[in-house]
Structures are given as C-alpha cells and as structure tokens.
Amino acid sequence: MAKSTSVLGRSEARAGLLMISPTALYAVLLLAAPLATVLLYSLATGGRGVVTWDFSLANYIEVWTGPVYRAIMLRSLLVALSVTVVTVLIAYPIAYFVSFHVAPSKKSLWLFLITIPFWTSYLIRVFLWKVILGYNGVINSGLMGIGIIDEPLTWINYNVGALVVTLAHAYAPFAILPIFVALEKIDRSLLEAGQDLGESKLRTFWRVTLPLSMGGVIAAVLIVFIPTIGDYVTPDLIGGGKLPMIANMMEVQMLKINNKPLGSAIAVSAMLIVALISLAFVLVNRRFLGAGK
Amino acid sequence: MKSRGLKAYAIGYLIFLYAPIALLPIFAFNDSRIIAFPLSGFTTNWFAEMWADRQLWQALKNSLVISGSTAVIATVLGVFGARASTRYAFPGKGGLVGLIMLPLVLPEMIVAMSLLVVLLAISVPLSIFTVILGHVLITTPFAVAILSSAFQSLDKSLEEAAYDLGEGPVSTFRLIILPLVAPGIISSLLICFTISLDEFIIAYFLAGADTVLSSYIYSQFRFPAKVPAMLALGTILVLVSVTLLSIAEFFRRRGIAKTGGKDTGGFL
C-alpha cells in the first residue's frame, strides 16, 4: 500500500462514508435528532400538554432544587452506585478464577454458563426476585415452613436493599466479561517476574494484576452503572411503586402529568449525571495508573 | 490451595445466578396460585391455561414480527457499519461510529422517551412499526460489534486476490466476503432477535395499543391469579433462549475456526 496517494485516500474516504451512510443516517435521524429535540424541549416550559417556547432554565432549577426530585435523584444515585460496587466486587473473583484457574479449553464453557441467565427474560428475573423477597414470598414462606422464623421478615422486601439485590443479580454477567477480557490480556510472564523478584502472591496481585486489570474494572463499572441508574422495571415491581427512580419520574412527567418540558429536563439531567460520573471514573482510573495508559 | 477456595466461590456464584431461574419450573408445575412454600402438588394446568390464552398468542405474534424485522434490519445496518469501520479510513469516522454505538451507553428509558417525544410531536401513530424503529436503534450496536470482529478476522489478501482475478467489488463481496462472514451474520441475527424479544421499555412505551410479549407479561404481573401461567411461559422462554444461544455460540465458534482465528470466548 505504498502508492496510497491522496487521490486514493480521497476515494477511500468517499467509499467509507458511502458504506457507513445507511447506518449513520439511521442513528442521526432516530437518535441524534430525538436527543436534540429533548434538549430543546427542556428549555421550554409547560404543563398539561401545553408547551411555551420561552427558552428558560426554569425546569432545570425545579429538577435540581425541588425536594421531591432531589430525593428521587439521590435515591437513583445511591441504588446505582451500591449496585455497581456490589456487582463489581463479587464479579472480580469470578473473572479472576475463569482467567487464571480454568483450563483454556473450558473457558468458553464457563463464560457461556455465566452469560445464559443474562439472556433469559429480564422482566421475569426481576419478578422472580419480588416472588423470592416478598412479604409472603419464597424466603419468608420457606423459613416459616421449617420453623426458623415465626413471622415474615420485613427487612428483606420493598426497600432499597431489595432493589440493590435484584439489580446486582440482573447485571452480574455484564461486570464479569470486561474484567475477564482485561485479565486475559495480562502477560503471564510479568507475574512470574514479580514472584522471581521475591514478591508474595498477594503482593504480586496487588501491584501487578490489579493495576493491569483496572481498565476492565472501569468498563464493568460503567456497563453496570449506566443501565441501573435508568432502570424502570425494578423500582416499579420490587419497590411496589413506593421507591421511584429517575426513569419512573420521567414517565410520570412525560406521560401521566404530560409536562414534556419538565420530563425532558429530567432526561437531560439524567444524561448529565451519567456522563459526569462516567468521566469521573475514567479520570480516577487515569490517575490510578499514572501516565501508563 | 487458594484455587480451591476460588472454585467454591465460583460455584456459589453460579448458584446465585441460577437460583431465581430454577424457581421458574418449580412454581410453574406447582398446584397453587400462591407462589410460596410448601409446594402443594404437581400440575400442568398453568401450561394449559397459558396455551389457551388468546391475547398471549396475539402478543407473541406481534413480538415475533418485531424481533424478526429488527434482527434483519439491524444486521443489514450492522454489515454496513462494521464493514465501513474495519475496512476504510474516512473523516468523521470516530464521531459517526460513536453515534451508532451510543445506545449501548444510554439508559434505555432515555432512548424510549426521546423517540416518543419526537413521534408524538410529528403525530406518528404508535404501533408495532414504531417499536421496530426503536429496537433497530438499540440492537444495531450489537450487530456492529459482532460483525466487526467477523470482518476484522478477514484476511485482506483474499479480497485482493479476487480483484486481481478480475472480480468487481460487488461480486467480490458476494462471492468471497459474505460467505466468510456468514457465521457472524447468523450470530448477529440471533442475538438481535433475542435482545428485541426480551426488550421491555421501548416495547412498552412505543407500542401504543398493540401488546407485545414483554408488555403483556408485565401487565399480567398485576393480577396474582395470572402469575403461575406467566411462570409457565417464563419456563418455555428460558428453554427457547438457551436453545437459540447455543445455536449462536455454535456458529460463532465455527466462524472463528473458518477464518483461522483463536477463540477468545464470549459474545460481548
């Protein structure tokens, strides 16, 4: 490809643009344009289906200072961050086990086993947790049946903890895969070198394996955090409608109260939160690794 | 050794992953409308009740139309996207590919609501068709990711050999490239189909008066008497998805073997 002149380069650019155009056009029309519309709506004011185009930040002021909205946003953040921490912490040893202690020929099988539950109906999995943790649910009826408790436990249902358990289960495989991929890429001879130089296994893990897999951990954090903060089904089914999160609040404003401008401001705020927290994680990771990456 | 402890942990983790799903068949065959222990007896009534449910069949039909169309359209768009991003260099590539992949990092509720706002504003009636529009948007990134790895493992010299032997770009694509990436295409079709079938938020908000499988299940959860039949349905759905995924995994591995790559495992 030494004779790749500017003419060839230009024709390659044209061919590439032509090739990507159907897919890109679809994304522009059905993603970029709607997102721009939501942004525009968020600057209008209105209610009960009426929209006034006055380009003010009134909706944002309401969303960020109103006590109800603040409480719901803080709950969403708390739930999403707890789910992320729990999921990633319990996922790391699994990814480590599959990468370092499973024979190469059996790795695909383990990954397959881990990913199957993720492909079974999300709704049904969430509902099953309601059935498991509910007041008259599987745990309570089971424990009462064998006589360990006399009355149903109430601390396991309809609270933030139940939301966290359900979501942590739903997003578990998402956390394992990126960490596994990062661990697989680690050059095993580095670990041997660490031990040859007199480091203990634990210190080798702490000083070599963990930092080298940090990229995968950050990817896992983002993959779990982003969908959980926007989850709609779990607060509705597990929280019994009493623990709404951002997505439920969006539905109420957009459809039930029919205040699209305020609903749009919530959507934009949610995107902003997601973007800022994602950025923070990525920056922390950079810091952690120094200039290495 | 440490490895044994880790293995015990891994098995415990798999139990945690599978335990809720294991409850599905247990209560789908349990002879009681109340989902609790102790079990009261064996029955297949819930499967019969589910089978006789007319609305469920209509919802399933709608879902199959949506998932089938979504899988085909997303995979076609995925072929264009993956081919462009693996084979060509062009200005604005990062931005365009980023936009196409954006739904992966956007909460689904935001995708659903922004589409809904636009559809309502230009008064497009909500139906199965609008659900397909949304589903294609969120499954295309998966298609692009799967197909990119298929296109990437393609040996460029095969394509050049075809050109040297006088084939044009279209026939080269049809005769050389397409057969080599065929396993990737099949696995993309299956995965987009499965994601679309399982998707709830977009299907719930963009379907209007039409019901699809996931929104039908969701509405039935409100009636405790209907729950056992839904668990029976869930049991069948789990079996179907496991079968589809096993087929997808089979084709993915065969594809890797065909292009002489190394198996790095996993779909994602």
Side-chain angles (χ1 to χ4, degrees):
Chain A
M1 292 272 112
K3 57 174 179 179
S4 154
T5 60
S6 71
V7 180
L8 260 178
R10 213 179 306 145
S11 80
E12 182 182 326
R14 204 176 305 140
L17 279 170
L18 194 67
M19 184 67 86
I20 205 168
S21 60
T23 320
L25 203 64
Y26 193 89
V28 167
L29 286 178
L30 280 106
L31 185 64
L35 288 178
T37 311
V38 164
L39 190 63
L40 206 62
Y41 258 112
S42 73
L43 298 171
T45 48
R48 303 196 178 277
V50 189
V51 177
T52 322
W53 295 100
D54 52 2
F55 296 99
S56 75
L57 292 173
N59 295 317
Y60 288 100
I61 294 168
E62 191 167 349
V63 169
W64 287 89
T65 58
V68 177
Y69 302 108
R70 259 235 300 265
I72 293 176
M73 288 215 271
L74 284 177
R75 177 186 299 130
S76 308
L77 261 180
L78 173 75
V79 169
L81 287 175
S82 319
V83 170
T84 308
V85 170
V86 169
T87 314
V88 172
L89 281 184
I90 60 176
Y92 196 96
I94 300 296
Y96 184 84
F97 169 75
V98 178
S99 179
F100 283 80
H101 293 285
V102 170
S105 59
K106 287 201 175 145
K107 281 181 182 173
S108 307
L109 178 68
W110 269 90
L111 291 179
F112 193 55
L113 281 176
I114 289 165
T115 36
I116 282 180
F118 157 65
W119 294 103
T120 58
S121 170
Y122 170 70
L123 264 183
I124 289 178
R125 269 181 297 146
V126 172
F127 184 74
L128 283 170
W129 279 103
K130 183 193 166 97
V131 165
I132 293 170
L133 299 172
Y135 187 77
N136 295 315
V138 170
I139 289 185
N140 274 335
S141 64
L143 289 180
M144 277 162 70
I146 52 177
I148 291 180
I149 52 170
D150 299 322
E151 276 184 19
L153 305 171
T154 51
W155 54 267
I156 56 170
N157 39 46
Y158 307 116
N159 57 28
V160 170
L163 295 185
V164 172
V165 170
T166 306
L167 287 166
H169 180 262
Y171 289 100
F174 278 112
I176 293 177
L177 291 175
I179 301 173
F180 170 78
V181 170
L183 287 171
E184 281 291 276
K185 283 187 189 146
I186 294 175
D187 187 347
R188 300 299 196 261
S189 60
L190 289 175
L191 308 182
E192 285 164 24
Q195 279 170 25
D196 287 348
L197 292 169
E199 296 274 35
S200 71
K201 275 201 161 170
L202 203 64
R203 277 180 71 91
T204 314
F205 172 78
W206 192 247
R207 305 207 347 184
V208 182
T209 315
L210 188 62
L212 285 175
S213 60
M214 233 20 217
V217 172
I218 294 299
V221 163
L222 296 181
I223 284 177
V224 176
F225 178 77
I226 291 167
T228 44
I229 196 166
D231 196 83
Y232 170 85
V233 176
T234 309
D236 199 43
L237 281 179
I238 302 286
K242 292 187 187 73
L243 299 165
M245 287 178 32
I246 291 182
N248 312 85
M249 181 164 74
M250 244 187 264
E251 182 204 9
V252 168
Q253 288 299 338
M254 289 275 196
L255 301 172
K256 296 197 174 135
I257 300 182
N258 201 0
N259 185 344
K260 294 208 170 54
L262 191 59
S264 301
I266 296 170
V268 175
S269 305
M271 277 191 275
L272 223 60
I273 293 175
V274 168
L276 283 177
I277 291 193
S278 309
L279 200 67
F281 276 123
V282 172
L283 287 179
V284 165
N285 182 39
R286 285 248 172 92
R287 194 75 188 262
F288 187 74
L289 289 178
K293 198 177 174 185
Chain B
M1 265 282 303
K2 202 178 150 198
S3 137
R4 200 175 296 161
L6 266 176
K7 184 159 193 183
Y9 177 79
I11 289 168
Y13 186 87
L14 281 184
I15 293 172
F16 164 69
L17 276 187
Y18 281 87
I21 296 157
L23 291 176
L24 270 179
I26 295 177
F27 288 106
F29 287 110
N30 183 34
D31 185 16
S32 163
R33 286 206 184 267
I34 298 158
I35 311 301
F37 286 114
L39 301 175
S40 52
F42 181 85
T43 180
T44 52
N45 281 351
W46 310 128
F47 286 88
E49 185 181 307
M50 178 209 88
W51 202 258
D53 187 343
R54 280 288 176 98
Q55 279 175 297
L56 175 62
W57 284 104
Q58 182 56 44
L60 176 68
K61 215 178 93 190
N62 287 344
S63 273
L64 290 178
V65 170
I66 292 171
S67 305
S69 319
T70 300
V72 172
I73 301 171
T75 302
V76 169
L77 290 178
V79 167
F80 283 111
R83 177 79 173 144
S85 76
T86 51
R87 170 73 171 75
Y88 300 96
F90 50 90
K93 181 173 166 178
L96 287 176
V97 173
L99 178 68
I100 292 167
M101 303 306 270
L102 186 63
L104 282 181
V105 294
L106 219 50
E108 246 168 51
M109 190 66 179
I110 290 178
V111 175
M113 284 298 145
S114 56
L115 266 175
L116 184 65
V117 165
V118 170
L119 292 172
L120 291 179
I122 57 176
S123 31
V124 175
L126 299 179
S127 66
I128 295 177
F129 175 72
T130 46
V131 178
I132 297 175
L133 288 181
H135 278 186
V136 168
L137 190 67
I138 59 158
T139 50
T140 301
F142 288 92
V144 171
I146 293 164
L147 290 162
S148 288
S149 71
F151 279 117
Q152 222 140 39
S153 53
L154 209 62
D155 190 347
K156 205 174 171 182
S157 58
L158 290 173
E159 197 185 324
E160 284 162 0
Y163 285 133
D164 289 348
L165 292 168
E167 297 287 350
V170 176
S171 58
T172 306
F173 189 80
R174 190 171 59 82
L175 292 171
I176 308 293
I177 299 170
L178 216 51
L180 284 172
V181 296
I185 288 175
I186 291 170
S187 120
S188 157
L189 283 171
L190 287 171
I191 282 172
C192 293
F193 184 89
T194 317
I195 293 173
S196 165
L197 196 65
D198 191 36
E199 204 284 332
F200 168 69
I201 298 208
I202 289 172
Y204 183 61
F205 288 111
L206 297 188
D210 293 337
T211 34
V212 303
L213 201 56
S214 57
S215 61
Y216 183 70
I217 295 174
Y218 193 70
S219 68
Q220 297 299 293
F221 283 156
R222 302 203 180 279
F223 310 109
K226 301 278 189 168
V227 167
M230 289 303 109
L231 297 186
L233 175 65
T235 309
I236 294 177
L237 286 180
V238 168
L239 287 177
V240 172
S241 353
V242 170
T243 313
L244 283 181
L245 285 170
S246 304
I247 299 171
E249 174 71 5
F250 171 77
F251 278 108
R252 193 188 63 83
R253 285 195 196 179
R254 210 175 72 167
I256 288 166
K258 213 171 185 176
T259 45
K262 215 180 87 198
D263 190 356
T264 47
F267 293 106
L268 296 170

